Amino acid sequence: MNWYREISPTEKSTLWTCFGGWALDAVDTQAFSLVIPALIATWGISKGQAGLIGGATLVAGALGGLFAGVLSDRYGRVRALQITVLWFSLFTLLSACAQNYEQLLVLKSLQGLGFGGEWTAGSVLLSETIRAKHRGKALGIVQSAWGFGWAGAVLLYAIVFSWVSPQWAWRVLFALGAIPAVLVLYARRNVPEPPRDTSATTLKLDAKLPVLGIFDRSVIRTTIVGGLIGLGAHGGYHAITTWLPTYLKTQRHLSVLGTGGYLAVVIVAFICGCFVSAWLQDRIGRRLNLILFALCCAITVNLYVFLPIGDTAMLALSFPLGLFSAGIPATLGALFNELYPQGVRGTGVGFCYNFGRIVSAGFPVLVGHMGNSMPIGSALGIDAGAAYGLVVIAALMLPETKGRKIAETRSSSDPGTQNRQADAAHVAGASRDAQKAHEARAS
């Protein structure tokens, strides 16, 4: 943790603000899956209706991520983060007051807008605050907050449902999801807005709507390739999480998925995967790290579906699968942020990450269709292999961005503060010189 001692108080406060926001988002998102039986018992809804709430929340989350990226480019990173956290907290609290299924469906969908937006706004803010040589570690660690939030949801579920009757316990659990609103007060006092780049390229892109700026000729290749990476990463993940439990229960007749041990292994593996990816990507680079984890995911999931192993071995194999699948999203934050100029960075990151989330819904559907003519395990292995193969191919089409300089914020006590101020003065001076030259030509 020597790197943590090097970063400034501003960098640390921004890191923990983003970490806390993502962890608390995970608490509420994962809590929903735990309270589904209580909702079914309370309102007599079907499993399909409960699944529709989860699906609608995920789709709304993807749209929220796209919107938050545009918002952060137009109004600032910190303000966008505050808006998404407040939105998420408000509709989480209102979800606890829902009186019927229809109300809960609408409220959870609206809550999803803030959930998806928080990741986009937070990742852009952190990327522009943390110095380049530690950016991968910081963003990877923030991604691990999802695992900690997941574990927190399980713990809160156990406590609340032990003390409150099920018909009220789910409401209490949702109400606790309003806690992230406290982060807004902390962010207002401790997290400054990163400086805005005034270079000619950024000014040119800012002259357009940010959502159109990511299709500018100078960055459209990045947008297309980044979208393909997001598609492959989410497609493989959703194919696995959607069909692997069904495959293991129905075709392999394994009971491991119903045990607390399996859940503990998956959560710990996710956290470890984020930490390994965080450490590795600042050493070997974003592109190679992404390729490595994608290949390992494809290999591991095929071992899952083709090796004739029992419960114990399957439980052990769950750890590397969870670790490798977590390492991919832990890399995307740094990679996507380093690919775009500041004027459209939020929009670009939001598009690459969330375009994949929306379109990747086709991968689980494809597994189902393929399963009509072949064993579901074979369909899953082929589908996930194709998705992660797309990640590898797309990553090879991108430049390595490790160490790339983007806007950085340091406290006045940092050794690098004077350099940052000198860079800002140089940019401002260059802008003034360009303006004078333009006026001279005009006269």
Side-chain angles (χ1 to χ4, degrees), residues 10-45:
T10 294
E11 291 171 300
K12 290 175 181 176
S13 61
T14 305
L15 170 65
W16 292 116
T17 297
C18 296
F19 184 97
W22 194 231
L24 291 170
D25 278 5
V27 169
D28 186 74
T29 303
Q30 297 299 132
F32 174 74
S33 64
L34 298 172
V35 303
I36 286 177
L39 290 173
I40 292 175
T42 300
W43 288 335
I45 62 176

Side-chain angles (χ1 to χ4, degrees), residues 112-414:
L113 293 174
F115 153 69
E118 195 276 335
W119 184 91
T120 300
S123 70
V124 177
L125 170 63
L126 186 61
S127 73
E128 293 182 348
T129 302
I130 295 289
R131 61 196 71 190
K133 66 178 181 178
H134 299 317
R135 189 177 299 125
K137 290 185 282 291
L139 285 162
I141 287 173
V142 166
Q143 190 69 36
S144 75
W146 186 266
F148 288 102
W150 190 354
V154 175
L155 180 61
L156 283 175
Y157 170 81
I159 295 174
V160 172
F161 274 75
S162 296
W163 290 88
V164 184
S165 61
Q167 61 265 34
W168 290 101
W170 67 268
R171 296 184 185 275
V172 174
L173 205 58
F174 281 174
L176 292 174
I179 294 176
V182 178
L183 279 176
V184 174
L185 300 176
Y186 179 83
R188 286 177 63 87
R189 295 176 59 88
N190 298 280
V191 181
E193 179 68 24
R196 298 291 289 180
D197 185 3
T198 57
S199 66
T201 300
T202 301
L203 290 174
K204 176 185 176 182
L205 293 176
D206 276 343
K208 304 178 179 181
L209 289 172
V211 72
L212 299 180
I214 63 172
F215 298 104
D216 183 88
R217 184 163 39 182
S218 61
V219 294
I220 188 171
R221 184 176 183 274
T222 293
T223 300
I224 294 173
V225 177
L228 291 176
I229 289 177
L231 172 61
H234 287 101
Y237 178 80
H238 289 314
I240 292 172
T241 55
T242 300
W243 287 105
L244 188 60
T246 300
Y247 163 74
L248 293 178
K249 285 183 177 180
T250 61
Q251 192 168 324
R252 300 290 287 272
H253 307 292
L254 300 180
S255 60
V256 65
L257 289 175
T259 68
Y262 176 83
L263 185 61
V265 168
V266 171
I267 293 175
V268 172
F270 183 92
I271 294 173
C272 291
C274 290
F275 276 95
V276 171
S277 179
W279 175 82
L280 201 57
Q281 64 184 286
D282 275 337
R283 290 180 175 268
I284 66 175
R286 322 303 191 211
R287 186 171 65 167
L288 183 57
N289 191 64
L290 190 61
I291 291 172
L292 175 64
F293 277 93
L295 288 174
C296 288
C297 270
I299 294 171
T300 307
V301 73
N302 277 280
L303 291 177
Y304 239 95
V305 298
F306 289 120
L307 283 182
I309 54 180
D311 277 28
T312 302
M314 190 62 68
L315 183 63
L317 197 57
S318 299
F319 186 87
L321 180 61
L323 186 148
F324 295 138
S325 62
I328 295 175
T331 311
L332 297 183
L335 174 65
F336 288 159
N337 276 284
E338 291 167 348
L339 287 172
Y340 284 95
Q342 190 178 50
V344 294
R345 181 169 296 129
T347 306
V349 171
F351 176 85
C352 291
Y353 193 82
N354 293 288
F355 167 80
R357 290 174 68 183
I358 295 174
V359 182
S360 65
F363 278 86
V365 175
L366 181 60
V367 174
H369 282 295
M370 293 171 63
N372 293 326
S373 58
M374 64 175 68
I376 195 68
S378 300
L380 176 58
I382 294 172
D383 197 62
Y388 289 124
L390 179 60
V391 173
V392 172
I393 294 172
L396 291 171
M397 300 170 65
L398 289 176
E400 176 53 55
T401 62
K402 172 189 170 185
R404 179 169 291 183
K405 300 293 183 181
I406 61 178
E408 295 179 357
T409 302
R410 310 278 177 82
S411 71
S412 58
S413 61
D414 282 333

Side-chain angles (χ1 to χ4, degrees), residues 409-426:
T409 302
R410 310 278 177 82
S411 71
S412 58
S413 61
D414 282 333
T417 299
Q418 294 180 350
N419 291 334
R420 181 177 61 82
Q421 292 172 341
D423 290 341
H426 174 74

Side-chain angles (χ1 to χ4, degrees), residues 50-81:
L52 180 60
I53 294 177
T57 303
L58 291 176
V59 172
L63 296 175
L66 291 169
F67 180 73
V70 176
L71 196 69
S72 69
D73 284 334
R74 184 171 292 275
Y75 299 107
R77 318 312 191 193
V78 176
R79 183 172 296 181
L81 179 64

